[in-house]
Amino acid sequence: MSCENHRDRDIVKSSYIFSQTIGITRQKKRQLVESVNKAYADDSDESENIILEKMRQHQGKLYQDHYIYSPDFFQDKPIEHLIKEGIKASDLNDDKIGRVMDKLYKYGLTKIFLIIALEVVKKFGIETKYSHLDSSSLHLHGEYKNCVNNEDKEQGINKENPINITQGYSRDHRPDLKQCILDLIVSSDGDIPLFFRGASGNESDKAVFAHILVEYSKQIDFDSIMVADSALYSESNLKLMVNMNWISRVPLSIKKAKNLLKAPISKELKPSDIKGYSYQEEKVFYGGIEQRWLRRERQPNGY
C-alpha cells in the first residue's frame, strides 16, 4: 500500500470513528461538514464541498463504493436535481477525491478532528473537566513499504512526513507485525473523542505525550485537567506542562517514589470517597515543580 493510501484511509477513519462513537444525526453531520468546509476550503469549489459531504456520508464504505465517483456512473443521472444546481457529472470523479484528500491532509487531520470535536462539545453540552490521553497500537498484515523522506516530492503538499508503518512496542501482543499508533484524548463525560492523532509504529509515549497535551491545550477554548499514565511523568515533560493542570501516576523508576512506598506510613491514612480505599498526601518538589503525591492503600477484601 502506498503512503497516499495510508493518509486517505486516516481521513475516512477519523470521520468514521467520531460519528459512530457519538451517534450524531444526519442534520448534525451536515452541520459538522460545513464547519470543516469553513476551516480548510477557503479556495475550494462547490464540487469539492459536495465530494467532502459524500465522503462523510459513506465513511468506512468509501473504498467499497468507489464506483459512484466515476463520471460514467452519473452520466444518465439528473445531477443538478439530485445534488445541486451547477454540479456536472464530470465534477464528481476520483481525481477530485484525491485533490480534496490532499487539501485535508495539508490542513491537518488532527486539526480538523479537533474542530469537529469542539463543535460536538458545544452542541451536546459535554462535560470537559477532565481530558484523558492514551495511545493504542494497531497491527497490520503486509509488507508496507514506507515512503522514503523526500522533501522535493512532498514540498507544497504537507509540512510533516506521512507516518511509518513499522515495528514497535505492541500493545496487542503482536510484535511480529508492523503497526501504527493511535493517540486519543477523550472526555471523562461519556468517553467522547476530543483529539485524534495517527503516529508511526515505533513512536514512544514518553517522547510525545506532553507535547500532545500542550498542543491540545492551546487549541481548546475551555479549562480541563489532563490525565495520562506514567508515560507522561518525567522531569522534561513536567517542565513543558508548567502552566497546565494534570494528573498522572508516578513511575517507580523514580527513586523518590520507590523510597516513599518502602517507608513506613508516618501518619494516619485518610479514608477515601471510594469504599475500601484510604490515602496519604505528600508535598513533593520534582523537576523544579511543587506537586501533590497521593499514596493509596486498598483494604483487604475492599473493607
Side-chain angles (χ1 to χ4, degrees):
M1 183 179 290
S2 69
C3 288
E4 285 75 22
N5 281 341
H6 294 173
R7 72 181 186 227
D8 292 354
R9 288 186 183 273
D10 278 347
I11 294 168
V12 179
K13 186 176 181 181
S14 62
S15 171
Y16 180 77
I17 290 174
F18 197 87
S19 59
Q20 291 296 314
T21 302
I22 62 176
I24 54 180
T25 64
R26 181 176 297 178
Q27 179 181 4
K28 292 271 191 303
K29 283 184 182 180
R30 189 174 296 112
Q31 293 172 351
L32 295 178
V33 168
E34 291 173 357
S35 297
V36 174
N37 285 346
K38 292 177 183 178
Y40 99 104
D42 292 338
D43 60 342
S44 64
D45 58 40
E46 187 63 29
S47 61
E48 289 185 358
N49 294 339
I50 296 296
I51 288 289
L52 181 60
E53 186 164 358
K54 293 299 179 186
M55 287 168 58
R56 297 283 178 181
Q57 290 174 0
H58 284 265
Q59 298 173 346
K61 299 189 296 180
L62 177 66
Y63 290 90
Q64 298 174 22
D65 301 339
H66 64 277
Y67 65 86
I68 70 168
Y69 296 100
S70 167
D72 296 336
F73 178 81
F74 291 106
Q75 284 299 333
D76 58 346
K77 309 294 190 300
I79 300 301
E80 293 195 4
H81 177 72
L82 291 174
I83 300 180
K84 193 169 185 178
E85 186 177 349
I87 301 298
K88 302 176 183 178
S90 59
D91 292 328
L92 306 175
N93 55 70
D94 53 359
D95 291 333
K96 186 61 67 71
I97 294 177
R99 286 193 290 273
V100 171
M101 287 185 168
D102 279 339
K103 282 191 174 183
L104 289 170
Y105 186 70
K106 181 180 178 182
Y107 185 82
L109 304 183
T110 296
K111 190 185 297 185
I112 290 173
F113 191 91
L114 185 57
I115 288 171
I116 297 173
L118 294 180
E119 288 288 331
V120 172
V121 166
K122 292 176 182 177
K123 290 182 183 296
F124 291 87
I126 296 169
E127 174 60 48
T128 55
K129 181 178 180 180
Y130 299 98
S131 295
H132 295 256
L133 167 64
D134 205 355
S135 66
S136 182
S137 60
L138 306 174
H139 69 263
L140 302 165
H141 296 265
E143 189 172 357
Y144 285 91
K145 293 182 178 180
N146 292 302
C147 290
V148 178
N149 294 340
N150 188 330
E151 293 182 1
D152 294 333
K153 181 179 179 181
E154 294 295 329
Q155 188 174 7
I157 297 177
N158 62 287
K159 296 180 180 179
E160 299 179 0
N161 291 315
I163 67 174
N164 287 325
I165 307 300
T166 186
Q167 288 175 310
Y169 173 68
S170 177
R171 296 160 178 80
D172 46 4
H173 311 295
R174 289 303 305 265
D176 55 313
L177 297 176
K178 292 183 178 181
Q179 64 180 23
C180 62
I181 299 296
L182 171 65
D183 295 314
L184 193 65
I185 296 177
V186 301
S187 68
S188 55
D189 177 14
D191 296 330
I192 303 300
L194 303 175
F195 180 97
F196 166 91
R197 174 180 176 269
S200 298
N202 58 354
E203 184 178 82
S204 167
D205 290 348
K206 291 182 179 180
V208 298
F209 267 15
H211 293 278
I212 289 174
L213 291 178
V214 169
E215 184 62 28
Y216 169 71
S217 65
K218 289 179 180 178
Q219 298 187 53
I220 58 177
D221 55 0
F222 51 82
D223 293 327
S224 189
I225 300 172
M226 311 301 174
V227 183
D229 61 24
S230 60
L232 179 66
Y233 198 94
S234 69
E235 185 172 352
S236 58
N237 284 347
L238 296 185
K239 290 178 179 178
L240 281 174
M241 302 185 298
V242 66
N243 295 319
M244 297 168 53
N245 294 319
W246 50 267
I247 297 174
S248 181
R249 185 177 71 82
V250 181
L252 293 181
S253 57
I254 295 177
K255 186 176 181 180
K256 184 175 289 189
K258 188 182 295 185
N259 291 339
L260 182 64
L261 284 183
K262 289 181 177 179
I265 299 175
S266 59
K267 52 187 175 181
E268 186 177 352
L269 295 175
K270 298 179 181 178
S272 171
D273 292 337
I274 303 175
K275 186 178 180 180
Y277 288 89
S278 54
Y279 66 94
Q280 177 184 359
E281 294 185 23
E282 291 285 343
K283 281 191 177 181
V284 175
F285 281 88
Y286 182 78
I289 298 171
E290 182 180 5
Q291 51 205 270
R292 184 177 63 145
W293 286 9
L294 296 182
R295 176 178 179 175
R296 189 182 64 175
E297 297 282 349
R298 186 176 185 273
Q299 302 301 322
N301 301 319
Y303 295 101

